Amino acid sequence: MNKIILSFSIGIALILAYFKMKKNQDENIDASNEKPQTTNENFAPMNTQPQTKNFKLSEFKCSDGTNVPQKYWGNLAALMEQLQVLRDYIGKPIQVNSGYRTPTYNKAVGGVPSSSHLVAKAADIKVNGLSSLELVKIILKLIQEGKMKNGGIGLYDTFVHYDIGNIRRWNQSKHTAFSLI
């Protein structure tokens, strides 16, 4: 009788754990549910151009040629600091494929309307010699160790999205089955 009750209890616990995990996945994977971050509410505006040892403002300008507006320089400085931690850890250059985006450009490339790229809090990056999955694993390790800010991480076949906005995870890789949760 005790074995039946124990088995029943374990079964119920597993079912509850499954639904809790499923709920968390639904909340974290869909980046399109993120609320817009259209202000510089988290980071103070700056009067000097943000830069770190290995990153310059020009690397984050929109692919349409638009410079990062000064009102977002505080956000960009905070993002650069996080990417510098990553750069120092891996010891290799990080290529920024997409940093700041204008609303028009963001729409043209299929970005979500609430994208952190719109306020210079996101970068799509890659590192020569590392797969996207390897790069994601390093970022997650640095977050776990408290060395990088926990924000948004998206795995794609040819790049990794990292942002300092809301915590969420998604996998858009067609070739890599990997849970980021």
Side-chain angles (χ1 to χ4, degrees):
M1 181 73 148
N2 286 342
K3 288 183 181 180
I4 294 172
I5 293 172
L6 180 60
S7 295
F8 180 76
S9 297
I10 291 172
I12 294 294
L14 288 172
I15 290 169
L16 291 173
Y18 169 80
F19 283 111
K20 183 177 180 180
M21 178 191 72
K22 183 70 176 144
K23 179 179 182 255
N24 287 339
Q25 284 178 338
D26 292 343
E27 289 173 354
N28 290 331
I29 290 176
D30 186 5
S32 64
N33 287 335
E34 180 187 355
K35 291 183 181 176
Q37 298 175 336
T38 55
T39 66
N40 194 18
E41 61 195 15
N42 294 330
F43 302 99
M46 298 176 60
N47 292 322
T48 59
Q49 291 187 1
Q51 69 176 38
T52 66
K53 180 172 63 175
N54 296 106
F55 294 101
K56 297 180 183 143
L57 178 64
S58 60
E59 294 178 78
F60 295 86
K61 72 179 178 180
C62 185
S63 295
D64 69 6
T66 305
N67 291 322
V68 179
Q70 187 174 352
K71 67 182 176 180
Y72 299 134
W73 284 3
N75 293 343
L76 184 56
L79 175 63
M80 286 178 168
E81 288 172 11
Q82 298 306 304
L83 293 176
Q84 187 63 53
V85 170
L86 178 61
R87 167 70 169 84
D88 291 343
Y89 181 83
I90 59 178
K92 294 181 176 187
I94 296 173
Q95 179 181 337
V96 178
N97 297 336
S98 181
Y100 169 72
R101 292 181 189 162
T102 63
T104 302
Y105 186 78
N106 187 62
K107 187 174 182 178
V109 298
V112 296
S114 60
S115 174
S116 292
H117 287 280
L118 296 169
V119 291
K121 287 185 175 184
D124 295 340
I125 59 175
K126 71 178 190 176
V127 175
N128 287 335
L130 291 177
S131 70
S132 294
L133 180 58
E134 290 170 321
L135 187 54
V136 163
K137 286 180 178 181
I138 292 168
I139 292 169
L140 291 171
K141 176 185 186 307
L142 292 171
I143 289 170
Q144 184 179 19
E145 292 175 355
K147 296 176 181 174
M148 280 184 76
K149 181 177 176 10
N150 196 359
I153 300 172
L155 175 65
Y156 294 82
D157 289 325
T158 59
F159 67 92
V160 171
H161 171 97
Y162 172 75
D163 71 58
I164 56 171
N166 296 331
I167 299 170
R168 44 203 207 295
R169 308 283 186 262
W170 63 96
N171 181 350
Q172 292 294 317
S173 173
K174 295 178 178 112
H175 306 292
T176 306
F178 181 73
S179 175
L180 297 174
I181 297 177

